[in-house]
Amino acid sequence: MLSEAAVNEIKDIRKRYATARSCIMPCLYVVQKEYGYITEDGMREIAKILGVKPVLVFEVSTFYTMYNKKPVGRYHVQVCTNISCSIMDGEHIVDVISRKLGVKVKETTPDKKFTLSTVECLGSCGTAPMMQINDKYYENLNDTKVEEILNSLR
Amino acid sequence: MFEPVILKNINIPDSFKLSAYINSGGYQALKKALEMTPDALIQMVKDSGLRGRGGAGFSTGLKWSFIPKDATLQKYLCCNADEGEPGTFKDRAIIEYDPHQLVEGMIIASYAIGADTSYIYIRGEFAFGADRLEAAIKEAYQKNYLGKNILGSKFNHDMSTGVQGRIYAERRPPSSNLLKGEGHCPVSSRRFLPMWVSSENLQ
């Protein structure tokens, strides 16, 4: 069950939008914040509060990559492997992190602290290679920097 | 070397705050614009040679002039902050470090075309930028750069953000979503878009 605060947040969001369908995306963020990822129950709760069919919530959540459909670690490490970052050896950054954390892409460390993902362009091409950990950007990466960043989060 | 124009203030301390923006001459253009008629404003922007930054370099004043003058029509301004084409990173710096420049520009454009509501369509990955924009909009409301009777004029305007996500192969995605009254665009619900989206009826 969503907390009362989360339910109220969804109701508040609803007031800002003309139609119930329009506000599904921000509501999904509320559920993600609450559970750490998008649960089926959470989506059903959104549908119930908004008075829409659950399928409308499901279709939105599965379309977008920023909604985690599976649990992720406390730190979600997303490394850009799109063109600019690849030219600057973003794939190598993925390898460095993978080795350091002992997980492959899309995997989570056993202590549930880190999940490693690759992402498409995050609009940080001038400072490639880059990664995003939770909401924060880390730019102009190299082996030493990655090492330091991950150590600081341990 | 080139001289920065749009990004000239992004290295000022607290550049994203209203106080810093005001100190560098912010919102003076809005004051000036509100003293002009929308037509005169559009003509001035046309004459200035200001062009869009989307790649085509289309004349901004000309684009504004395409909006029907009929005051009984409901008009919206939509800002595409869904930057994410690989190799494109010209907007994030403005959003994060000079958000008031975007807000002021949108209010001026809205006054010119007679829009009483505007939306900034920002991608879901730009959480930091979205926070900055929302804070800037809040500050602008507090100082009556947004809201009712802006700076003592008869112009009312509301602005909000919608944090969205990437959309594949959609022509003019933000407006297509607004056209449907939705904040998203699953593949199954695409619609055919008109050639000139500037005057498409949203109803």
Side-chain angles (χ1 to χ4, degrees), chain A residues 1 9 12 25 35 38 41 43 46 55 58 60 65 69 81 84-85 96 99 109 128 130 134 142 144:
Chain A
M1 280 290 284
E9 203 177 336
D12 275 350
M25 296 197 70
Y35 299 120
I38 306 285
D41 284 348
M43 289 191 283
I46 292 175
V55 65
F58 298 163
V60 177
T65 54
K69 266 72 74 180
T81 50
S84 306
C85 282
V96 171
R99 236 175 297 137
T109 53
M130 67 82 66
N134 297 347
N142 54 39
T144 334

Side-chain angles (χ1 to χ4, degrees), chain B residues 1-191:
Chain B
M1 247 332 252
F2 61 89
E3 191 191 325
V5 178
I6 291 165
L7 302 180
K8 69 172 188 278
N9 291 328
I10 61 166
N11 293 319
I12 295 174
D14 290 338
S15 61
F16 58 94
K17 289 186 179 163
L18 181 63
S19 49
Y21 187 63
I22 298 274
N23 283 341
S24 59
Y27 288 105
Q28 290 302 317
L30 175 63
K31 275 180 202 154
K32 191 172 164 187
L34 291 173
E35 286 162 8
M36 302 169 76
T37 64
D39 280 346
L41 176 59
I42 290 173
Q43 191 56 47
M44 188 182 172
V45 173
K46 260 190 209 172
D47 295 344
S48 75
L50 185 68
R51 301 195 300 165
R53 302 175 76 235
F58 194 79
S59 159
T60 304
L62 198 55
K63 190 178 210 171
W64 293 2
S65 73
F66 291 156
I67 310 297
K69 305 276 179 247
D70 185 351
T72 60
L73 288 175
Q74 169 70 47
K75 291 161 198 150
Y76 301 94
L77 179 78
C78 178
C79 165
N80 179 0
D82 197 52
E83 177 170 63
E85 307 90 335
T88 310
F89 53 103
K90 62 184 177 35
D91 298 336
R92 192 166 62 90
I94 303 172
I95 292 166
E96 293 179 356
Y97 294 100
D98 206 356
H100 279 287
Q101 189 179 192
L102 175 61
V103 172
E104 182 180 13
M106 287 179 66
I107 305 168
I108 293 170
S110 297
Y111 174 69
I113 64 170
D116 65 4
T117 307
S118 58
Y119 297 98
I120 302 172
Y121 186 98
I122 188 163
R123 61 185 294 201
E125 291 85 346
F126 284 5
F128 177 67
D131 287 347
R132 286 258 162 114
L133 269 178
E134 271 163 26
I137 291 171
K138 209 170 159 189
E139 281 183 316
Y141 268 107
Q142 282 162 1
K143 295 284 177 189
N144 190 224
Y145 298 123
L146 282 170
K148 301 266 172 250
N149 299 107
I150 294 169
L151 302 176
S153 71
K154 285 183 181 158
F155 182 58
N156 306 324
H157 192 76
D158 285 310
M159 187 181 292
S160 59
T161 59
V163 176
Q164 320 290 346
R166 64 173 63 233
I167 290 145
Y168 298 93
E170 275 284 324
R171 190 151 147 258
R172 305 187 184 92
S175 47
S176 70
N177 291 356
L178 284 179
L179 289 167
K180 290 191 275 90
E182 290 170 16
H184 69 284
C185 187
V187 180
S188 59
S189 57
R190 285 181 179 174
R191 55 166 278 171

